Amino acid sequence: MPADRDIHAASAHPEVVPAPLVALPTGSTAIVYCEGQFGEQDGKTANGLVRHSEKYEILSVIDSRHAGADAGTFLDGEPAGIPILADLAEAIAHAGTVPDYLICGVAPADGLLSSAQRVVLLDGIARGMHIINGLHEFLSDDAEFAAASILADVTITDIRRPREKKDLHLFSGRIFDVTCPRIAVLGTDGAIGKRTTATLLVKALNDRGIHAVMVGTGQTTIIQGGRYGVALDALVPQFCSGEVENQVVAAYEGEDPDVIIVEGQGALSHPAYLTSAHILRGSRPAGVIVQHAPRREVLGDFPMVAMPTLASEVALIEAFADTRVIGVTVNHERMTDAEIGDAIDEIELAHGLPATDPLTRPLGRLVDMVLRAFPQLDRGAPVTASAA
């Protein structure tokens, strides 16, 4: 997209554009820094990059707590060929050369770097690595980082930096021209697996011959290489619904998909985040899948707040938007395989909704969840935005 393209938010027919494509240096090898957080809720960016990355070749993850383990085995029980190493020097030695990028893989609730984290990223710059930063803190605006990057002739990419306000979109109503179903993957908390479920669902649908496209709403999806998306929590709220709408319309017009899967953020009931509301308003999904962690008792970064019940979140979503929950996906943290099976059975019995765990159960169950709600996707009938 040309940098000088004129996009007017308040136009009657605003131009629809995909997520901004950041001009990056040549090369794709990367180390992901996630000291003390890999596999945890605040390590979700690193977790996501180990599971899926279209843009970068992930060579290793830095977290001294788990050094020596395979990152994929540690996360999901399946080797990914990505070692967890103790520090940046060891990661560079393992690579055999200085990789192109150092990606900040931590994602704390406040979106800020600690002093120790700053030291590691500055070390990466000094060694000649470009920085990919998904935090709210824009490192290219930091005098120390800016000076270091100039001296080392490297770039700093702040993924969450929004476009100029003149280039943002208000809600326009163009979502009503999108005739394929939209399914939002929401949840009962932040960092609960919504992006992972959405990514797996898109892959499984496409493997089934159903053309599915994902619209991301967070920084990790953009870092992974998603073509359509926006870091929603970095925007002025006035533009949030419009930017979600714009990305959904861009995906529809650019890909002509059978179905669009929209990544969720936070939770509609969450006291600190409003992003789920904007996703529901902007994408107007015909169906919602709710991700839930049965063993989580308090909100991940807000332990003073009890987790909502699955029933209360489903009721809130269906009261807030003209949509319906079509299924539940389980986050299996602190659960044995037998307990996962019991939780799936309990959810289906108590709520009358299909349930599965995308990471431990066949992905066909996730696809079947969608086809139960939208059978027209599987029989070649005309696809409409209304759930069956």
Side-chain angles (χ1 to χ4, degrees):
M1 183 180 70
D4 60 352
R5 199 173 211 167
D6 190 20
I7 305 166
H8 298 288
S11 163
H13 298 287
E15 185 175 359
V16 177
V17 294
L21 301 178
V22 179
L24 297 174
T26 301
S28 62
T29 56
I31 294 169
V32 180
Y33 173 68
C34 197
E35 177 60 34
Q37 296 297 331
F38 187 62
E40 307 291 339
Q41 292 177 42
D42 285 355
K44 62 183 181 180
T45 296
N47 304 342
L49 286 166
V50 167
R51 288 172 171 144
H52 177 74
S53 178
E54 299 175 30
K55 186 179 292 186
Y56 304 103
E57 179 189 355
I58 306 302
L59 302 181
S60 62
V61 174
I62 297 173
D63 187 342
S64 61
R65 301 176 310 158
H66 308 296
D70 179 275
T73 301
F74 179 79
L75 277 181
D76 302 319
E78 294 289 338
I82 300 172
I84 306 174
L85 302 174
D87 54 34
L88 182 59
E90 183 179 351
I92 291 174
H94 171 268
T97 186
V98 177
D100 302 306
Y101 296 95
L102 179 58
I103 301 175
C104 183
V106 295
D110 61 8
L112 303 176
L113 284 176
S114 69
S115 297
Q117 291 165 342
R118 287 177 63 91
V119 169
V120 175
L121 295 185
L122 286 166
D123 186 19
I125 290 174
R127 293 171 184 266
M129 301 177 72
H130 304 283
I131 300 298
I132 303 297
N133 168 45
L135 301 177
H136 285 299
E137 182 177 12
F138 298 152
L139 299 184
S140 56
D141 291 343
D142 183 293
E144 185 177 16
F145 274 90
S149 67
I150 291 171
L151 286 173
D153 192 25
V154 300
T155 61
I156 298 172
T157 303
D158 293 311
I159 297 296
R160 265 184 166 130
R161 185 186 294 278
R163 294 192 297 269
E164 295 294 325
K165 290 183 177 64
K166 69 181 180 62
D167 295 330
L168 297 176
H169 297 78
L170 296 171
F171 184 82
S172 68
R174 294 201 68 191
I175 193 68
F176 301 117
D177 297 330
V178 178
T179 59
C180 72
R182 283 87 66 199
I183 299 172
V185 181
L186 304 183
T188 51
D189 192 10
I192 204 168
K194 299 179 289 291
R195 184 196 66 254
T196 297
T197 290
T199 302
L200 291 171
L201 176 56
V202 168
K203 181 181 185 304
L205 287 167
N206 280 296
D207 288 348
R208 187 80 164 253
I210 300 166
H211 185 195
V213 175
M214 180 169 165
V215 170
T217 54
Q219 75 278 5
T220 301
T221 302
I222 295 172
I223 294 173
Q224 287 173 320
R227 177 166 171 73
Y228 303 98
V230 58
L232 199 57
D233 61 2
L235 297 179
V236 174
Q238 181 178 3
F239 297 105
C240 287
S241 295
E243 281 295 299
V244 172
E245 177 192 46
N246 177 65
Q247 291 302 314
V248 171
V249 173
Y252 175 68
E253 294 184 347
E255 308 288 339
D256 190 24
D258 297 320
V259 60
I260 295 173
I261 308 300
V262 184
E263 174 196 10
Q265 295 293 320
L268 188 58
S269 62
H270 203 293
Y273 307 132
L274 295 175
T275 37
S276 291
H278 297 301
I279 290 165
L280 287 166
R281 291 290 192 244
S283 69
R284 298 185 64 86
V288 172
I289 293 172
V290 177
Q291 181 98 0
H292 181 60
R295 293 292 182 271
R296 195 178 291 191
E297 297 176 355
V298 296
L299 296 181
D301 286 319
F302 300 85
M304 75 295 293
V305 181
M307 278 284 288
T309 65
L310 179 59
S312 67
E313 196 71 26
V314 169
L316 182 61
I317 290 167
E318 294 185 338
F320 182 82
D322 182 16
T323 189
R324 66 186 180 102
V325 173
I326 64 171
V328 177
T329 45
V330 172
N331 175 316
H332 60 252
E333 61 187 41
R334 295 187 289 136
M335 299 174 72
T336 66
D337 190 73
E339 289 171 336
I340 296 169
D342 289 343
I344 289 171
D345 290 343
E346 290 170 9
I347 289 168
E348 291 187 334
L349 286 171
H351 301 278
L353 293 168
T356 189
D357 175 1
L359 288 174
T360 67
R361 298 312 189 252
L363 287 177
R365 298 186 186 182
L366 195 56
V367 174
D368 291 342
M369 182 185 293
V370 170
L371 296 182
R372 173 176 167 174
F374 301 96
Q376 69 269 33
L377 292 174
D378 203 32
R379 62 175 183 241
V383 177
T384 67
S386 300

